[in-house]
Amino acid sequence: MKLLDCKIRDLKIFVTVVEERNFTRAGEKLFIAQPSISKSIQRLEEELEVILFDRRMRDVALTDAGEIVYEHSKQVLALMKRMETGIEDLSDAAAGQLKIGLPQIIGTFIFPPIGKAYTERYPKVALKIEERGGIVTEKLVEKGELDVGFVVFPVDNPLLYTEQIYEDSFVLCVSANHPLAAREQIELHEVKDEQFIVFAKTFALHKIVMKACERSGFTPHVLLESTQWDLVLELVSVQMGIAILPRVFANKLKNIEIASIPITNPSFKWQVGVITSKKYYHSAALKRFLDTVHEIYT
């Protein structure tokens, strides 16, 4: 096996084909003609003396050897990227690319001032946003495929640096015409018979609300789930149900008739933080990014 003879370019082409699950799409992404893609894969197979793809299959399918080469190729490419970034850091305090994991909700409420301040200060850094859920973001940061992630806390992962940057109280949101709208505060058990509009199960907010209801002795009757915070509030305003959201949500949407009521028992918080890997190199661009986060939120 002539592993050292493999070119980094061939490894990158191979990984792209696997991730795009198609030779044509890989070529379009890399701006390389499909015949060149095929030759690169063939060259890699000859140098490694293995078959990477099961060509009996219509779709792109890896052989057992292909799976091994794919996993290690990603590690090699990540190592090369960290080396390049380290060299760039010697000549420029903040340049290159920064990959950021950003769940949709956090992106809407937390990230905009960070992104604006950072790009104004460091225009040579290209920000690449990956809109993934918190669990996926955590795994990608752990593996070094993302430089930094924003997630809902708590996070219990010994392989990550974690820092909470934002906290907000949850409030009960009801229509302005709801009988509870005039209340100054409320205990959660008082709404056990209401119909709830909640975020989808893929959101950390869903789990937080469900656990709070369980602590109050009931399982909420969920009328519907949504991935859109503004839709949740619109539905509340037309009296389809009630919702439990961080206070900042209720204050964000204008021209809808809702009331937001502080919840006193149990009191629970929406906590957001940043995570970075303990294993992988922190570039100058990443360090400056974290500095910007600290300036704005801590």
Side-chain angles (χ1 to χ4, degrees):
M1 183 180 293
K2 304 175 182 178
L3 182 59
L4 294 179
D5 292 339
C6 297
K7 298 179 180 178
I8 296 299
R9 181 174 181 271
D10 291 338
L11 295 180
K12 183 176 181 180
I13 290 172
F14 168 64
V15 167
T16 305
V17 170
V18 176
E19 293 180 346
E20 293 295 320
R21 304 186 66 82
N22 184 279
F23 278 69
T24 301
R25 287 197 298 270
E28 292 172 351
K29 184 172 184 178
L30 296 172
F31 302 101
I32 299 173
Q34 186 171 338
S36 297
I37 295 279
S38 299
K39 288 180 181 178
S40 176
I41 298 300
Q42 183 179 359
R43 182 167 56 244
L44 193 57
E45 290 180 321
E46 290 173 353
E47 292 179 350
L48 296 177
E49 300 175 0
V50 296
I51 301 299
L52 298 173
F53 294 106
D54 186 348
R55 289 171 172 80
R56 298 171 301 176
M57 307 297 290
R58 183 174 181 179
D59 296 327
V60 170
L62 290 172
T63 62
D64 290 344
E67 292 281 2
I68 294 172
V69 175
Y70 172 62
E71 291 300 324
H72 287 282
S73 294
K74 289 195 299 180
Q75 295 177 27
V76 170
L77 294 174
L79 182 61
M80 291 298 297
K81 180 61 179 176
R82 293 199 299 276
M83 181 181 71
E84 292 171 359
T85 301
I87 294 172
E88 288 174 355
D89 288 348
L90 295 177
S91 58
D92 196 322
Q97 184 183 80
L98 200 61
K99 295 182 180 179
I100 304 169
L102 194 63
Q104 179 186 12
I105 294 297
I106 296 176
T108 300
F109 292 98
I110 305 297
F111 183 74
I114 299 172
K116 182 176 186 297
Y118 186 79
T119 54
E120 287 177 349
R121 295 176 187 176
Y122 307 106
K124 293 183 179 181
V125 181
L127 300 184
K128 181 178 180 182
I129 305 298
E130 294 279 349
E131 290 187 287
R132 305 293 189 95
I135 295 175
V136 175
T137 295
E138 186 177 327
K139 292 299 182 184
L140 292 177
V141 172
E142 179 185 323
K143 293 191 294 183
E145 295 181 27
L146 291 175
D147 299 301
V148 60
F150 290 79
V151 294
V152 175
F153 276 30
V155 173
D156 183 18
N157 188 327
L159 300 177
L160 298 175
Y161 292 114
T162 63
E163 181 178 6
Q164 182 181 319
I165 62 168
Y166 182 83
E167 182 176 277
D168 195 13
S169 298
F170 278 84
V171 294
L172 175 69
C173 295
V174 299
S175 165
N177 297 317
H178 193 283
L180 295 173
R183 292 282 295 272
E184 294 184 359
Q185 60 185 34
I186 198 165
E187 295 188 7
L188 199 53
H189 69 86
E190 296 181 69
V191 295
K192 61 182 178 64
D193 296 324
E194 298 281 345
Q195 296 192 107
F196 281 67
I197 300 170
V198 301
F199 281 103
K201 294 182 180 65
T202 53
F203 286 70
L205 286 170
H206 180 100
K207 184 183 296 184
I208 293 172
V209 170
M210 291 298 164
K211 285 187 175 181
C213 291
E214 289 175 9
R215 292 201 306 271
S216 296
F218 71 96
T219 299
H221 175 252
V222 176
L223 178 66
L224 59 86
E225 299 179 2
S226 175
T227 60
Q228 304 294 325
W229 66 272
D230 49 350
L231 176 59
V232 170
L233 288 176
E234 292 282 3
L235 295 175
V236 168
S237 72
V238 296
Q239 302 186 65
M240 282 190 65
I242 66 171
I244 298 173
L245 301 171
R247 186 187 303 274
V248 66
F249 287 48
N251 295 339
K252 190 77 172 180
L253 200 60
K254 305 299 182 182
N255 301 320
I256 64 168
E257 296 182 348
I258 64 168
S260 59
I261 308 166
I263 301 170
T264 60
N265 183 28
S267 176
F268 51 107
K269 305 287 186 179
W270 187 45
Q271 299 172 324
V272 176
V274 289
I275 56 173
T276 54
S277 173
K278 291 182 178 180
K279 180 180 178 181
Y280 294 105
Y281 177 71
H282 285 201
S283 66
L286 175 56
K287 292 173 183 176
R288 301 295 181 272
F289 182 82
L290 295 175
D291 289 343
T292 303
V293 172
H294 296 155
E295 289 177 19
I296 293 175
Y297 282 107
T298 61

